[in-house]
Structure formats: structure tokens, C-alpha cells
Amino acid sequence: MQVWKFGGTSVGKPERMHSIRELITADAGQKFVVLSALSGTTNALLSIGESLKAGQDEEALEKIEHLKAHYDSFLRELYKTSEGLAKGQQIIENEFSFIRSLTRIKPFTLKQEKELVAEGELLSTQMFQAHLEEMGVHALLLPALEFMRIDADNEPELDYIERKLREMLRPHGDKHILVTQGFICRNPRGEVDNLKRGGSDYTASLIGGAIRAEEIQIWTDIDGMHNNDPRIVRNTYPIRELTFEEAAELAYFGAKILHPSTITPARKFGVPVRLKNTMDPAAPGTLIADKTTDQVFKAVAAKDGITALYIHSLRMLNAYGFLRRIFEIFERFKTPVDMIATSEVSVSVTIDDITKVKEIQAELSTFCDLEEPEYDQTIICVVGNFSADKPGIAAQVLNALKGIPVRMISYGGTEHNLSLLLHSRYKAEALNALNEGLFNV
Ligand code: ADP
Ligand code: ASP
Ligand code: MG
């Protein structure tokens, strides 16, 4: 079985839903189809939630009716028959009456917000399944809320997902098409929760790992992973092959085409991931697997919203145990560190989650001197084949960036990553300079 995930733009128009029906039924291979919400819906739902949080109920109700009108016209083009249309209308009436009911719950909390935002995927999957049925394709809709679960640290519970899916699939093992919601899950309290923005990719990979799929395909609006951010840099090009490690670094460090955690389950079970373009299905896309190529520089990605902390030991040289004490604090506050740079008496680290930064600073200050944190930083991650005996790699990267102030550098952690920290105001310039300096484009 293969897992095929279609993102927001891939389901965002009625004709796109028609095309993905054609794609998934073009051959007899069994497919587990994961869908996102229609493009724009998750943002619209979050915006309704903002109005409700602010006590602006009228405004929220207007936004709800505006969104509903979009679905009304979508349905009219999606379905070909009056039975299909009636079924579609019933689906959206049900879901929108639930959405309206959330406006009456006071106070409107995070729990309700998560129920609200889950509606996007609940709508798209039911509408698509009804379309498949209308076209004579018998598809089974498996509710993600019955098998996708995260633990108290917001980490997916892979064993549970695997066990649940096995149980749920047992009676339907021969079904050609299975459909489920991306992004949404339950938390340990049994409430509706989600895998964070862009989380449908992660759902696909978790399912792919859990069922040991033959392949995971992520269908989106671009022809694969590009060598640089196409939203910021002109002349980017698709990369045909990446290793799991390379793709994981790029996703983690900001290549928006993949949710940061997507590669983890796929790599764990050795399931290849293929990135494909719904708008151009014949394009080869990107294959992410074990195989590596010799190309030195493969791609660049950037992650914003980074904070740098500069920590100095109060003792002089040879302060062993210093690093352990520092990192224990980050661990206790469940705050991951992305980059580090050390000297004999100082350590600089970057974090992207600053919810506990005050507490972390308070504890560090009991045995360290601290500088003011620097906000609005960007990590630029250069990925490629940097085996230790290849000369000139760091020189080429730094030379490309020679006009830009670089705050930190990390090289040598693996043989395929060089990361740099700079102020976000230099990001676009840095990405463009690297494109010229490393890829000759
Ligand atoms: P979906 O809704 O299908 O999940 P996303 O918008 O999340 O799609 O991801 C696809 C987008 O990712 C592309 O349209 C592109 O603008 C952006 N993107 C950012 N970096 C890269 C990259 N390195 N390669 C390809 N796409 C990228
Ligand atoms: N609909 C969710 C979002 O917009 C999940 C996804 O599209 O992957 O973030
Ligand atoms: Mg996405």
C-alpha cells in the first residue's frame, strides 16, 4: 500500500478534487489518501477563533457565514449529480452547525479552538469521499481521531497508531482507496488536537511508517524540493534525490514544502518519500530515500523566529561540567536547542520556542553571566555532501556571504550540514547570495 497526501492547494478547487480522484484511481494499487483542508480554510478557522477569543461574536458569525458561502459554491462544481450535491450539502450543514455551536461556548478556550480548526480536514475528507462515491469509487473514510494520538509532550504515539490502524484495517485490508484527515489527532485527555501547522505531511509519514507502506507521496503545488526557497529566490530548481538525513535537515530548518518532523517516521521504517506536483503529475519530483549522490552543495533552507542566548561561565578556564549544567536546564524546560557554538568559557545557543526563556535565563544566571537574548534571528542551513576530506566547503559558503554579518556558525556536526545564524533582516540577501555562490545560477 502507498500513502498519498494532498495539501491545501491540491484540494482547494473542485476541479483539483476531480484531478486527484483521477490520479488515485489511475492504477489498481492500494492507496491510503491523506487530505488537508481546502487552501485558506485553516487560516479562516483560526481567524474565527481569534474573533471568539476577543469576544467579537458577531464578527465571528459573519466570518463563519462567509466561509460557508465558499463551501456552498464549491459543492455546486464538485458534484455532478443531485444525489451527490445533496450529500455534500448535508455534510457542510452538519459541520457548519457544529462550528456555529462553538460560538455559544463561553469562555472560548484552546480546547474549542482546536475543535474549530479540525473542521477543515473533517470537511474536505467527507466532501471528497462523497465525490468518490458519486463517481462509483468505493472508498473507506477512516477517522483520524480514532487512531492518531499524541502524548503529553505533543509527540505522536507511534505504537498506539500502529496498533489502532492494524485493528481498523483488518476488516478492510483489500479496500482499494482509504481516505483520512491529515493534521488532526487526539491528546492524552481524549480531546481533539493537531500536529501543528502543515501537519498533514506528518500524518502521512506517521501512517506510512505505521503500516510499513511501500512509499509515501506528498502531493503539493510545486515539482519537488527545490535547492533554495522559491518564495524568496529566483532561479531555484527541483532536486531529484535526497537522503532521509538531508531532507530531514531541510524540513527542520525551514523548507516549507515539508512539515519539520515529516521525515522522522519514514526514515525509522525506511519508507521512501516522494514529493510530487499535483499541477504537473508527470514531473519527476523528488525522491527521498537512502541513496546519496556526490553533488557537494544540494540545497539551502532558512528558519526564522530564532532567539540566540549568549552564556559565559563565571569560572575561568577548564570548567568541566559546565555544558552539562547548561543543557540540563534546557531539558528541564523542554526547550530544544537548534545550534550551539562554544569557546573555552562561553556558549552560544539558539532556540525557537521562547515560552520558557525567562525561567531558563533565571536558572542560568545562578552560575553564568548572560547577555541580553537576541531575537529575530534566522538559521540558514546549507545541506550537501561535505565529507571531512573535501577542501574549501566552508570557505565557499562564507565567501558567498562575505558581505553579510554572520552571528554563529556550526559545521562538522554531520557531514551534510553547515548552519549559520544571522539577523532575519539579512535572510533574503543571504539566500540569494548562496544561490549565486553555491549553485552558479
Ligand atoms: P501544501 O499546502 O501542499 O502542504 P505548502 O504550501 O505547505 O503546500 O508547501 C509547498 C510550498 O512550499 C511551495 O509552494 C513553496 O512555495 C514552498 N517552499 C518553501 N521552500 C521550498 C523548497 N525548498 N522547495 C520547494 N518548495 C518550497
Ligand atoms: N490544514 C493544516 C494547515 O493549514 C494542515 C496542513 O495543511 O498540512 O496547517
Ligand atoms: Mg504543507
Side-chain angles (χ1 to χ4, degrees), residues 36-37 42 121 183 197-201:
S36 291
T42 306
E121 275 69 13
F183 178 58
R197 295 306 306 269
S200 300
D201 303 328

Side-chain angles (χ1 to χ4, degrees), residues 5 34 148 150 154-158 161 182-183 194-209 216 218 258-266:
K5 175 259 169 175
V34 177
M148 198 49 77
I150 51 172
N154 295 321
E155 291 296 331
E157 294 190 75
L158 206 48
I161 297 166
F183 178 58
N194 62 63
L195 303 174
K196 310 263 162 62
R197 295 306 306 269
S200 300
D201 303 328
Y202 199 16
T203 302
S205 179
L206 288 161
I207 295 174
I216 297 158
I218 308 286
L258 288 176
H259 176 283
S261 308
T262 310
I263 298 302
T264 314

Side-chain angles (χ1 to χ4, degrees), residues 71-86:
Y71 278 80
D72 282 331
S73 58
F74 194 100
L75 295 189
R76 287 194 289 275
E77 286 177 52
L78 177 62
Y79 298 104
K80 313 267 189 216
T81 62
S82 52
E83 294 80 34
L85 183 60

Side-chain angles (χ1 to χ4, degrees), residues 5-10 36-37 39 198 200-201 218-231 237 239 250 254-259 275 299-301:
K5 175 259 169 175
F6 294 91
T9 38
S10 305
S36 291
S39 51
S200 300
D201 303 328
I218 308 286
W219 290 78
T220 182
D221 58 0
I222 190 164
D223 53 352
M225 176 75 80
H226 278 220
N227 70 310
N228 206 328
D229 193 326
R231 295 165 300 177
Y237 56 83
I239 309 164
L250 290 170
K256 192 204 170 209
I257 187 171
L258 288 176
H259 176 283
L275 311 182
V300 176

Side-chain angles (χ1 to χ4, degrees), residues 76-148:
R76 287 194 289 275
E77 286 177 52
L78 177 62
Y79 298 104
K80 313 267 189 216
T81 62
S82 52
E83 294 80 34
L85 183 60
K87 179 76 189 119
Q89 279 164 339
Q90 191 193 328
I91 292 164
I92 68 159
E93 288 306 330
N94 284 346
E95 300 308 324
F96 276 87
S97 86
F98 176 74
I99 293 172
R100 285 186 205 103
S101 78
L102 290 173
T103 66
R104 296 189 287 274
I105 299 179
K106 302 286 171 214
F108 183 83
T109 62
L110 193 57
K111 177 172 177 287
Q112 277 83 41
E113 184 182 300
K114 287 177 171 170
E115 290 178 5
L116 176 62
V117 79
E119 284 299 311
E121 275 69 13
L122 292 169
L123 278 160
S124 65
T125 45
Q126 294 181 78
M127 284 158 54
F128 184 62
Q129 190 219 15
H131 167 62
L132 291 177
E133 291 294 334
E134 177 187 49
M135 301 304 287
V137 181
H138 299 295
L140 181 73
L141 183 58
L142 287 175
L145 297 178
E146 286 178 21
F147 65 84
M148 198 49 77

Side-chain angles (χ1 to χ4, degrees), residues 366-441:
T366 61
F367 63 98
C368 304
D369 255 342
L370 300 174
E371 289 175 38
E372 272 302 300
E374 282 184 340
Y375 300 98
D376 301 321
Q377 305 290 302
T378 291
I379 293 178
I380 305 268
C381 167
V382 183
V383 160
N385 253 313
F386 309 152
S387 34
D389 54 359
K390 276 194 195 131
I393 286 167
Q396 205 176 332
V397 172
L398 294 178
N399 193 41
L401 296 175
K402 62 177 179 288
I404 296 169
V406 172
R407 204 67 184 78
M408 270 169 78
I409 300 173
S410 170
Y411 181 46
T414 70
E415 284 198 340
H416 58 261
N417 173 326
L418 189 160
S419 302
L420 307 120
L421 185 77
L422 34 88
H423 193 282
S424 303
R425 74 171 79 95
Y426 300 112
K427 168 180 153 177
E429 191 185 340
L431 290 179
N432 280 287
L434 288 167
N435 223 47
E436 277 175 32
L438 306 184
F439 305 104
N440 305 315
V441 283

